[in-house]
Amino acid sequence: MKISKEVRVGFVSIMAIALLIWGYNYLKGTNLLFKTKTIYTIYPKVPGLAVSSPIIINGVQSGVVEDIYFHANSSSVIVKMNITENELQIPKNSVADLISIDFMGSKAIGLNLGDAKEVLVSGDTIKSH
């Protein structure tokens, strides 16, 4: 069976576009091949925090900041976090701290795990400090 040149070019083009989309999202810190848990937190201000900043749990990077935007009714800032550690059970009374990770002033979110029996599910909001 002989495949025409047009079909080969079309197949290669589709594969190149798919690889481009996956690579762009991977460089942003979002891996399309793994399930993630989305958690929100609200801060009064977030100086130095940026999209793709790390989320650190007990010294290990366990996710990235996906989005930062203003709350609709107030001047507070909502931070959307992607947690890539699916097996990790985050208790409901955990706290998200805004921490500095180097001398240059780069910021990250440090999750201090609580001791509650109930755990967060994707879409929940966590307390901030």
Side-chain angles (χ1 to χ4, degrees):
M1 181 169 141
K2 190 169 184 176
I3 300 174
S4 68
K5 289 184 180 182
E6 292 86 6
V7 173
R8 288 183 198 167
V9 169
F11 181 72
V12 169
S13 299
I14 290 172
M15 293 302 293
I17 291 171
L19 185 64
L20 179 71
I21 292 170
W22 178 80
Y24 177 72
N25 284 315
Y26 183 77
L27 289 175
K28 283 190 340 183
T30 306
N31 195 346
L32 298 176
L33 301 178
F34 296 111
K35 286 186 175 181
T36 59
K37 190 183 302 183
T38 303
I39 297 174
Y40 298 91
T41 187
I42 301 172
Y43 289 102
K45 57 184 176 178
V46 287
L49 188 68
V51 174
S52 296
S53 293
I55 298 170
I56 300 172
I57 301 173
N58 293 339
V60 177
Q61 181 176 348
S62 301
V64 293
V65 173
E66 183 178 336
D67 197 8
I68 301 172
Y69 53 93
F70 283 105
H71 190 269
N73 297 331
S74 66
S75 63
S76 56
V77 179
I78 299 175
V79 177
K80 182 179 180 183
M81 302 178 284
N82 271 343
I83 307 295
T84 55
E85 300 290 330
N86 283 330
E87 295 83 28
L88 180 67
Q89 301 294 322
I90 301 172
K92 285 212 179 228
N93 64 344
S94 300
V95 178
D97 291 328
L98 190 60
I99 59 174
S100 180
I101 57 174
D102 60 11
F103 294 118
M104 299 298 289
S106 298
K107 299 292 184 181
I109 294 180
L111 286 182
N112 294 327
L113 300 178
D115 57 355
K117 299 286 184 196
E118 298 177 22
V119 295
L120 293 172
V121 295
S122 187
D124 281 350
T125 302
I126 192 171
K127 286 188 242 177
S128 64
H129 184 262

